[in-house]
Amino acid sequence: MEPYRGDVLKCPACRDVVLRSFASRLICDRCSGFFLAQADLRGAIADLCGPVELSFEDENPGTRVCPRCSGALTTCRLRIGFLGAEIKSKATLDRCSADGVWFDTDELEDVLARAHRKLTHRPSQ
């Protein structure tokens, strides 16, 4: 454990790397993954698309551990509903229902890019 630090928050992917905290997010400097609270995730997508509904589907027990509570993460797919449209993440994400979602490298970028494409390629009504 690091001196003067209470809890050591470990990367769910690397397992031996201590996560760095930045703006309420937890970031792994080795694998570039990060942990994001569901409210922050909803806000990031809403900034891009407007009001959204998030749901998690295909949840199954996972092998990774939540960096905040040390509980087991579930694997799932993210479904985003907005403006009558819907997208589902291609990637299987790791989620703690209490604390947030772990994104491996490029997974959030893919979710945001898919949402943006869906929003900009909607037929005019």
Side-chain angles (χ1 to χ4, degrees), residues 21-120:
S21 181
F22 177 76
S24 78
R25 294 162 180 92
L26 299 175
I27 301 163
C28 179
D29 291 323
R30 179 187 291 165
C31 71
S32 300
F34 65 96
F35 195 72
L36 189 61
Q38 290 176 135
D40 287 342
L41 175 60
R42 181 177 287 104
I45 297 170
D47 286 347
L48 181 65
C49 302
V52 294
E53 291 283 329
L54 302 183
S55 60
F56 298 91
E57 300 181 341
D58 306 327
E59 287 200 75
N60 291 298
T63 58
R64 293 179 170 178
V65 175
C66 175
R68 293 221 185 263
C69 72
S70 299
L73 295 171
T74 59
T75 61
C76 63
R77 296 207 186 263
L78 172 65
R79 182 178 290 275
I80 306 166
F82 59 96
L83 300 175
E86 223 173 58
I87 65 165
K88 189 174 181 180
S89 66
K90 282 185 177 180
T92 300
L93 306 175
D94 299 289
R95 173 180 178 249
C96 173
S97 61
D99 294 311
V101 181
W102 176 259
F103 290 91
D104 289 317
T105 305
D106 299 330
E107 288 178 339
L108 181 59
E109 180 182 349
D110 179 62
V111 167
L112 295 175
R114 289 170 54 80
H116 185 260
R117 279 193 305 273
K118 186 76 165 187
L119 182 66
T120 58

